[in-house]
Amino acid sequence: MSALSFQSFKETWFFNIRADLLAGLVVALALIPEAIAFSIIAGVDPRVGLYASFSIAVITAIVGGRPGMISAATAATAVLMVTLVRDYGLEYLLATTVLAGLLQIAAGFLKLGQYMRFVSRSVLTGFVNALAILIFMAQIPELIGVPMLTYPLVALGLAIIYLFPMVTRAIPSPLICILALSAIAIGFGLDIRTVGDMGELPSTLPMFLLPDIPLTFETLQIIFPYALAVAVVGLLESLMTATIVDELTDTPSDRNRECVGQGVANTVTGFFGGMAGCAMIGQSIINIKSGGRGRLSTLSAGLFLMLMILLVSDWVSRIPMAALVAIMIMVSIGTFSWSSLKNLRVHPRSSSLVMLATVAGVILSHNLAIGVLIGVLLSGVFFAGKISQIFKVTSTVSEDGRIRRYKVEGQVFFASVEAFNASFDLKEALDEVIIDVSEAHIWDISSVAALDMIVLKFRREGAKVEIIGLNEASETIVDKLAIHDKPGALDKLMSH
């Protein structure tokens, strides 16, 4: 290892050892209940989420593109796999996790991370709001048809979560919630649902296994839509979280490397019995605020998590479900952007509509990727509409009334073509027409076709037409696509 690469390795891993290890321990404590709760959302044993959180945290620490960001099993990916697990079982979930990882690796090598900039803040806000609503809705089955004691325990858990930080923030309040409610349930011998009722907890390190599924085209047809949704949603949440960590630490992240890192983590995790995951906004903020900055903080979070699970799995199985429901309600409340409700009156109507459409798309489809796609498309439509209004055509005529000069200003593209065409009086008897586009930009084939039509119709009426002031980019596309100077151009144009 050269001196330069060793120095880079040291600066990435060991520049903040004590704070990174302490932050990793705090994050690991908070990860245990969430990993179990996300497993239950997906409908699998708690060990599936715990194995995933361990594996994903360790691997992204090594190969990810955002030091200090925490990745693990998450609600965003868990909610996508509920119907898959219900209809086909755990083995299909593992195969979906592997395929989702491979898709994310491909996205990284294709440098798709750079396209994150096309996702507007309104879409991101709609994304997190929809995620919060889905997390809350996933708790409803745990609140229906359960012993009456569940309700006061959930209320007590929420009180502990929100009030304990007033006493101290040294210990995560969700952990205190778990300890307190477990002590009450065990001490009083309460007959309520526990984590042990949800399935088996791990007692060993994860083992390598191949998903037991038929390797057929039919299997691919089943898992591909889920894998694609998990890959897209996972990358969206990871890149969004990376942006937040960038802002908190004033350091940049490598988005394409993060795509590859998330993909490698999910692919490997699927072969070790874990569910798909991605970056976690809440845990990453906890890590940063606890002093974690380097890759060591993420690695230690995963290692501490597995160490605690192996040592205290018997106790974990006795945690009442009411405690996890309270934690997930807290996660839901904390994830929702409450300020976005107030901003509905302040922000532009189109931005609010994009946010609401993203939320509605997710809630109706139960698919975060579809909601984001709706939001991005709607953002593009509104943007095109606004840009098309930055356009005008004015004209002046010579003293003898035989020469008219049209001056085009603004952006000429598919959305402004109709207004462009309507700005010219094609029936006016003229000897010469000058079209000045020195303050305009010709963007696409629609605008070139409109220019062709205007030129050819004026020529048909006997006028000489001259186009002046094309900038370099506009001249390039006009030279390539325009047909008004080619033989038989008018006939060709009219034939379409």
Side-chain angles (χ1 to χ4, degrees):
M1 183 181 291
S2 68
L4 182 62
S5 59
F6 177 77
Q7 182 65 25
S8 174
F9 176 77
K10 185 179 177 181
E11 289 176 354
T12 306
W13 281 92
F14 301 116
F15 67 99
N16 188 38
I17 296 176
R18 182 175 178 278
D20 278 350
L21 290 176
L22 287 175
L25 179 60
V26 173
V27 170
L29 290 169
L31 271 179
I32 293 175
E34 292 198 355
I36 295 171
F38 296 149
S39 303
I40 293 166
I41 287 177
V44 295
D45 287 348
R47 63 178 175 176
V48 178
L50 291 166
Y51 279 159
S53 294
F54 160 69
S55 171
I56 294 172
V58 169
I59 294 172
T60 54
I62 299 169
V63 299
R66 177 59 262 183
M69 185 169 74
I70 303 297
S71 297
T74 64
T77 52
V79 297
L80 295 172
M81 296 184 283
V82 174
T83 55
L84 176 69
V85 174
R86 184 191 64 202
D87 296 340
Y88 299 99
L90 174 62
E91 297 297 326
Y92 279 76
L93 177 145
L94 300 180
T96 300
T97 299
V98 172
L99 182 57
L102 294 175
L103 292 173
Q104 291 176 325
I105 292 172
F109 282 115
L110 292 173
K111 302 188 183 303
L112 297 186
Q114 61 184 316
Y115 294 106
M116 182 66 186
R117 67 181 187 273
F118 294 118
V119 180
S120 68
R121 182 159 290 277
S122 299
V123 176
L124 293 179
T125 304
F127 175 88
V128 297
N129 286 349
L131 175 60
I133 294 170
L134 288 183
I135 293 172
F136 182 82
M137 289 172 64
Q139 308 313 307
I140 293 177
E142 294 297 331
L143 296 171
I144 297 177
V146 295
M148 291 301 293
L149 279 171
T150 301
Y151 302 112
L153 286 175
V154 171
L156 176 60
L158 286 169
I160 293 171
I161 289 170
Y162 285 106
L163 297 178
F164 188 78
M166 297 180 183
V167 179
T168 177
R169 293 181 180 273
I171 304 173
S173 62
L175 183 65
I176 299 300
C177 165
I178 288 177
L179 294 175
L181 267 59
S182 297
I184 293 172
I186 296 171
F188 290 95
L190 302 180
D191 182 20
I192 54 176
R193 283 161 57 85
T194 66
V195 170
D197 296 327
M198 300 295 106
E200 185 182 354
L201 287 172
S203 56
T204 63
L205 289 171
M207 305 286 288
F208 179 82
L209 56 86
L210 292 175
D212 185 16
I213 57 167
L215 298 177
T216 63
F217 182 68
E218 184 181 1
T219 301
L220 182 62
Q221 286 182 306
I222 293 170
I223 67 173
F224 185 79
Y226 290 99
L228 182 62
V230 167
V232 172
V233 169
L235 291 183
L236 277 173
E237 184 160 357
S238 297
L239 296 178
M240 186 169 65
T241 306
T243 302
I244 293 171
V245 175
D246 289 352
E247 293 174 355
L248 288 174
T249 60
D250 291 328
T251 55
S253 57
D254 185 336
R255 290 179 175 175
N256 293 318
R257 179 176 173 178
E258 184 58 36
C259 291
V260 175
Q262 292 289 333
V264 171
N266 280 323
T267 301
V268 174
T269 297
F271 285 120
F272 282 87
M275 59 193 281
C278 62
M280 307 174 76
I281 296 175
Q283 297 294 345
S284 296
I285 291 175
I286 290 173
N287 187 47
I288 298 301
K289 290 189 174 179
S290 301
R293 292 291 185 277
R295 296 182 183 277
L296 186 60
S297 63
T298 310
L299 177 71
S300 59
L303 294 177
F304 281 135
L305 168 69
M306 184 50 63
L307 188 63
M308 285 188 285
I309 289 301
L310 294 178
L311 294 178
V312 296
S313 60
D314 289 342
W315 287 98
V316 172
S317 67
R318 302 171 74 177
I319 295 172
M321 283 301 298
L324 299 185
V325 170
I327 290 171
M328 294 316 298
I329 291 175
M330 177 272 291
V331 171
S332 172
I333 293 172
T335 302
F336 196 90
S337 174
W338 297 98
S339 62
S340 65
L341 298 179
K342 183 178 68 177
N343 291 335
L344 285 174
R345 292 183 177 180
V346 181
H347 286 177
R349 190 173 300 174
S350 58
S351 298
S352 299
L353 193 56
V354 168
M355 190 273 284
L356 293 173
T358 304
V359 173
V362 172
I363 300 304
L364 293 176
S365 67
H366 279 234
N367 189 321
L368 288 160
I370 291 177
V372 170
L373 180 62
I374 292 173
V376 170
L377 290 176
L378 206 53
S379 296
V381 170
F382 284 136
F383 179 75
K386 287 179 181 176
I387 294 298
S388 68
Q389 295 173 11
I390 308 173
F391 165 82
K392 70 175 181 179
V393 178
T394 55
S395 69
T396 55
V397 67
S398 61
E399 291 183 358
D400 61 1
R402 304 307 299 173
I403 302 174
R404 181 170 289 279
R405 183 188 185 97
Y406 288 95
K407 186 172 182 60
V408 184
E409 299 174 72
Q411 311 304 315
V412 187
F413 66 115
F414 64 90
S416 57
V417 159
E418 189 173 334
F420 179 79
N421 288 335
S423 302
F424 296 87
D425 182 4
L426 301 171
K427 296 298 183 184
E428 186 179 12
L430 297 169
D431 292 335
E432 183 175 355
V433 174
I434 300 171
I435 303 176
D436 181 356
V437 291
S438 58
E439 295 186 23
H441 194 109
I442 310 294
W443 279 104
D444 57 10
I445 192 169
S446 297
S447 53
V448 174
L451 190 62
D452 276 336
M453 183 69 78
I454 296 299
V455 172
L456 292 171
K457 285 187 175 180
F458 272 127
R459 287 177 179 170
R460 185 181 60 187
E461 299 300 321
K464 175 187 173 187
V465 182
E466 184 182 8
I467 301 172
I468 63 171
L470 281 168
N471 60 36
E472 186 177 350
S474 299
E475 189 172 8
T476 300
I477 191 171
V478 169
D479 287 345
K480 184 177 180 181
L481 301 174
I483 62 171
H484 55 259
D485 287 333
K486 296 180 179 177
L490 186 59
D491 294 336
K492 288 183 182 177
L493 205 62
M494 293 302 181
S495 65
H496 293 291

